[in-house]
Amino acid sequence: MEEDHQFIGQQQLKRIADVMKVRHAAEKKLQNGVLLRDRNQTPVSRSQAVSDNESSAAAIRKLALGTGARRFHVAPVFSARAGAAMSRFEPGSSIGYGKMRENIGVVRRRLGRPLTLSEKIVYGHLDDPSGQEIDRGRTYLRLRPDRVAMQDATAQMAMLQFISSGLPRVAVPSTIHCDHLIEAQIGGAQDLQRAKEVNQEVYNFLATSAAKYGVGFWKPGSGIIHQIILENYAYPGVMLIGTDSHTPNGGGLGGICIGVGGADAVDVMAGIPWELKCPKVIGVRLTGTLSGWTSPKDVILKVAGILTVKGGTGAIVEYHGPGVDSISCTGMATICNMGAEIGATTSVFPYNHRMKTYLQKTGRREIASAADEFRDDLVPDEGCEYDQVIEINLSELKPHINGPFTPDLAHHVSEIGAVAKKSGWPLEPVKQAGICFSSVVDLKFLNFRARTGLIGSCTNSSYEDMGRAASLAKQALDKGLKCKAQFTVTPGSEQIRATIERDGYAKILSDVGGVILANACGPCIGQWDRRDVKRGEKNTIVTSFNRNFTARNDANPATHAFVTSPEIVTALALAGTLSFNPETDYLTAPSGEKFKLEPPTGDELPSRDFDPGQDTYQHPPAESASVRVDVSRSSTRLQLLEPFDKWDGRDLEDMRVLIKVKGKCTTDHISAAGPWLKFRGHLDNISNNLLIGAVNMENDAVNKVKNQLTGEYGGVPDVARFYKAHGVNWVVVGGENYGEGSSREHAALEPRHLGGRAIIVKSFARIHETNLKKQGLLPLTFSNPDDYDRIRPDDKISITGLKSFAPGKPLTAVIKHCDGSQESVSLSHTFNETQIEWFKAGSALNRMKELQ
């Protein structure tokens, strides 16, 4: 036993060092393309050299680390790769595989059972693996994420909150990505330049605050946050939190990447353990092989149809099985990205050769080697158990198209025409079809009466996506055919844009009629200056985006938006009708020739490596004392935060019902995006969009509620401000999965700012419920969902039991009707002890200051 606690002797270390010198020399030659020869001077193939190199690595590990207990003891010290840098931008921050393995071992011994991959990564980041209570679906975990990522719209409020904390510098690697504020209007270069001018004040604030507090800054034009994370920051086993609901995109590279609100990001940046309810694990077992017109997007469109928009709530979706290896790394990212549409905490794939190749192609060979060494920790244990299992045979999977108005309404492409006709949805011409990449085309020369297809977004903007779309466009061009629908393309990053331009994909897509937009979110999040239809005009658009809620893309509630793969979008743009089935139907060339499209093809990764394009990254300076962060008092875009008031120790009495919401209420309904994005850093100004998209149960109207003090009707934010000015607290009453959709922290900040005290609903989406708690609000659910029907618009509601507020103990709502009668209903909650302290302090940020 004593030997197990000793380090390897000096002679053994020397032997290892000698072998490592030889190995590193071989690796260097291999990386530089040098022809390798064996000991007999016989030429060795590159693949054989790689194989021999990996075999020598295994021998070195065995020599250095031994087996059994000894191996586990010295692995963190002697692993040649465990200390790999987290990214090329942060050479001083190493990947913590050794610590993760140690934590996994502690938890596995405690639980006495095999672990899923999700559990390995999550439990591997526990703050206290020995003492943490672990019960899937019940207990709250205290975690130590590896890094934080923020997009520019949410980063404004996150950085304002971090500034309010008084801390001098972030405690973990963090980045800001400018992708949300660039409006699609004319074309890539012009739209980017206009955004820089319009948003100069905000970009300057983000750049200087990033420099001041040690945060990496990706300038406008860099690309979409999730694509940049995949290319630079995600890696197998990472735990990353991001202030955007599609952060799970990183699960395609084997990480646990979770969308959160800005206040959660502040916790992690402040070095405070981050809380997450211990997630359940839904297993999706994949068999068979993808082929033909079926794409990775069809996997998640199928899963969305099975689980619906709330079926994944409180769970991580873990893909496994032999079918995984038929999906590219970026394809896996597509699947994980759209897992946000089923309410999942995140989604993840096990480490495999596809991820290794992607890491190598994106300049991260050391990380790939480290992941190889710790592979056992990056795949599920044999015999692990899932809370639910879904089986999908990829060989039998059909191309899907989901919508309209919700991403879980699944249809086979072959059936959508008949379904649309029966449902009265507009079939043709398809208004818009879009994928995401960029060039410079002036939209004023396009026929604005054409419908649109849009490809790209954070979900489908990889090199492979662009290549498969271009392969279809090339077939059409060879027949002299161009798109019958307006067609847009959005590259996911500057690297993707530069590479597809170099390799000719951008020209093909432009020649077929495509408009290349800026490397940004654009129409996917409503940043689209659309002029080809009037508000209220019924039309259809088809996108490769992830989300298609009412009015999300173009602010027109009559737009029927469908989500599908880039390949299907391209085919429908060529055909100009929703009823086209590319597997069976024919197109007509200008010559009159009938032809059928061959299934799309495309390289997974560029053969000539990626072209990085323009350098758009700003390193934080080592010394930042001289950096100034200015926020003008007269600014309409930025506003320093004032702390919210603390709880006064009494029950909440006689609160008014601001609005009783009917039907679906997403964060788009609560805090609209589009033109409102410009106020993301100014809480008072953006609060003017509070619930303006929600439907009032009283009158089926949008943004029209009765002021119970005056008897007059007005906009929701106007009535809320009136109540606040007159010292009247208020509540919102809602239905199922309230707050689904984007992570939008403002959907929680705004009701708190305008005098709200509680949100009472049938059920919550995970991120929104946490955001409400962080801001000192009470997110409560009817213990009996039918009690929703007891609430009338003119009721007064008191919430009692707050003096004995405790985890697991329901509160009571006393409902006073205008006829003098009253009744009581039970209200459930998910607060733990820490979160109750947030409520008492007035917000999580207030509580953070109390503890300093």
Side-chain angles (χ1 to χ4, degrees), residues 665-672 689-693 738-739 747 750-751 768:
C665 191
T666 71
T667 48
D668 282 315
H669 295 91
I670 304 168
S671 176
N689 75 0
L690 174 65
L691 287 159
I692 62 174
Y738 184 91
E750 292 174 32
H768 187 59

Side-chain angles (χ1 to χ4, degrees), residues 681-795:
H682 198 292
L683 179 54
D684 194 57
N685 281 348
I686 199 171
S687 293
N688 288 322
N689 75 0
L690 174 65
L691 287 159
I692 62 174
V695 178
N696 184 4
M697 174 63 80
E698 179 189 13
N699 54 14
D700 284 336
V702 173
N703 199 28
K704 185 178 181 181
V705 296
K706 187 175 183 178
N707 184 326
Q708 299 297 333
L709 300 185
T710 66
E712 299 176 352
Y713 282 86
V716 180
D718 299 323
V719 174
R721 287 185 185 278
F722 187 92
Y723 287 162
K724 180 181 180 180
H726 289 79
V728 176
N729 293 327
W730 51 262
V731 303
V732 170
V733 177
E736 297 280 4
N737 209 31
Y738 184 91
E740 68 177 279
S742 299
S743 65
R744 214 157 295 167
E745 182 173 30
H746 298 75
L749 282 160
E750 292 174 32
R752 183 72 164 99
H753 175 63
L754 294 186
R757 294 295 178 179
I759 311 294
I760 308 171
V761 301
K762 294 181 181 180
S763 66
F764 283 103
R766 175 190 62 85
I767 299 177
H768 187 59
E769 182 181 24
T770 301
N771 286 347
L772 292 168
K773 292 177 182 177
K774 287 277 186 177
Q775 302 308 333
L777 280 153
L778 289 171
L780 306 170
T781 56
F782 294 105
S783 300
N784 178 1
D786 291 340
D787 287 339
Y788 166 87
D789 297 323
R790 297 179 182 273
I791 308 295
R792 305 171 189 168
D794 54 1
D795 285 341

Side-chain angles (χ1 to χ4, degrees), residues 280-325:
K280 294 183 178 182
V281 187
I282 297 173
V284 179
R285 186 172 188 272
L286 303 178
T287 59
T289 305
L290 287 176
S291 62
W293 284 91
T294 307
S295 74
K297 186 68 164 281
D298 296 306
V299 176
I300 185 57
L301 294 176
K302 173 73 171 179
V303 171
I306 294 170
L307 290 177
T308 77
V309 291
K310 62 177 181 177
T313 302
I316 293 176
V317 178
E318 182 173 313
Y319 294 85
H320 63 283
V324 166
D325 287 340

Side-chain angles (χ1 to χ4, degrees), residues 4-49:
D4 289 342
H5 298 282
Q6 294 176 348
F7 289 119
I8 299 173
Q10 294 300 312
Q11 285 187 331
Q12 195 171 14
L13 283 175
K14 185 177 186 304
R15 289 168 58 200
I16 295 170
D18 292 340
V19 176
M20 291 297 288
K21 286 179 182 178
V22 175
R23 180 187 174 198
H24 288 161
E27 284 184 330
K28 188 171 183 180
K29 289 181 179 181
L30 193 63
Q31 292 171 4
N32 292 334
V34 177
L35 177 65
L36 300 181
R37 299 176 182 271
D38 65 12
R39 65 182 62 190
N40 297 317
Q41 296 302 303
T42 302
V44 177
S45 70
R46 184 179 182 87
S47 60
Q48 182 61 48

